Amino acid sequence: MNSSFILSLTTYGWLICSILYMGLLVFRRIFFGKLAVIGSIIVLIAQLAGMMLRWKESYDLGIGHIPLSNLYESLVFGSWSIMFVYLLFLRKWRIIEIGIIPSLLAFLAMAYASFSPNVESRIQPLIPALKSNWLTAHVITCFLGYAAFAVSFGASMAYIVKTKYEDRGLFKFIPDAKNLDKFNHQVIIFGFLWLTIGILTGAVWANSAWGSYWSWDPKETWSLITWLVYAAILHARSLQNWSSRRIAILSVVGFGCVLFTYFGVNFWLSGLHSYGSR
């Protein structure tokens, strides 16, 4: 059994978890919710084991690097991070009902990593710029930020739907809008702190790799745009001059910036980070 096999299995694991979270909303049976959470924990552990095994395989091949260096490995770690952050906050907030969105995002990321012909899954040697301990700190912190914003996207969508349709049909089971708003605020603070650390560690890494802390590379520029969007959300929230609905909508826009920073820049804009497009 190798890491690719385990990680492929987790793709289907997230799909099953998504179906269970959907079952909670459709059938309004907490049984589905409990099963979805237990399943998520199991898949999360399995995916972590798959990543650790891939790390070991890298050393067995004589390459020896943490599996965070290309598109495939970042998609795997990104999907894991989304569910890790969701389950972390679930311990306090108990908002199982929004689990459908983070689990679906985790499944889509793994499905793209596993089945797309444009994603190279082989373990490859690092290019010189990536041979730095700052790589680990930069990627992990950025992806924890991105993962939190993915969870915030789920909470924001639930808030928008809840306030528009109130207690009609399927949406009756969505948690109270006030709780969703508070949950969203805490997740955004969490993500903002990690993204800030990620940008700072990236600047230090860039200086050691390319001789400059900031080069206005497309990835750097869009990371800054994403950071500014979430800074604006937190600023508006602290001043209390924006409605919760506006903040939810801006959170959805912010997650659009996250997706463009990750996918759009890789595929459509060339720059210093182009090594991450495969």
Side-chain angles (χ1 to χ4, degrees), residues 166-268:
E166 294 294 337
D167 292 333
R168 277 181 276 174
L170 182 68
F171 310 112
K172 186 176 181 179
F173 210 53
I174 293 177
D176 177 69
K178 191 175 289 184
N179 277 342
L180 283 171
D181 181 47
K182 291 178 181 176
F183 173 85
N184 196 20
H185 183 221
Q186 286 205 359
V187 175
I188 289 175
I189 291 175
F190 180 88
F192 185 76
L193 289 174
W194 283 112
L195 180 61
T196 302
I197 297 170
I199 290 174
L200 292 175
T201 53
V204 175
W205 176 29
N207 186 53
S208 65
W210 300 306
S212 172
Y213 288 101
W214 195 267
S215 306
W216 294 107
D217 171 73
K219 181 78 81 176
E220 294 172 351
T221 304
W222 273 95
S223 294
L224 180 62
I225 291 171
T226 302
W227 187 89
L228 289 173
V229 169
Y230 285 101
I233 292 172
L234 294 176
H235 180 66
R237 174 76 185 226
S238 66
L239 296 178
Q240 297 184 335
N241 59 357
W242 270 35
S243 68
S244 298
R245 184 176 177 78
R246 276 187 177 183
I247 288 175
I249 292 171
L250 193 54
S251 299
V252 174
V253 173
F255 187 60
C257 292
V258 170
L259 291 178
F260 190 82
T261 302
Y262 183 65
F263 289 107
V265 171
N266 279 350
F267 296 136
W268 297 320

Side-chain angles (χ1 to χ4, degrees), residues 5 15 45 49 60 76 126 136 176 179 207 218 226 238 241 250 270:
F5 178 72
L15 175 61
I45 294 171
D60 291 343
V76 170
L126 291 177
T136 305
D176 177 69
N179 277 342
N207 186 53
T226 302
S238 66
N241 59 357
L250 193 54
S270 63

Side-chain angles (χ1 to χ4, degrees), residues 117-139:
N118 298 320
V119 179
E120 178 58 72
S121 62
R122 285 183 305 160
I123 299 173
Q124 297 172 313
L126 291 177
I127 63 172
L130 300 182
K131 293 178 180 176
S132 167
N133 290 330
W134 287 105
L135 166 71
T136 305
H138 173 60
V139 175

Side-chain angles (χ1 to χ4, degrees), residues 37 85-96 183:
V37 172
V85 171
Y86 166 68
L87 292 172
L88 186 68
F89 277 83
L90 187 65
R91 289 188 63 187
K92 176 182 178 183
W93 287 90
R94 307 289 179 188
I95 302 179
I96 303 176
F183 173 85

Side-chain angles (χ1 to χ4, degrees), residues 133-149:
N133 290 330
W134 287 105
L135 166 71
T136 305
H138 173 60
V139 175
I140 289 176
T141 50
C142 279
F143 271 89
L144 284 175
Y146 291 166
F149 297 146

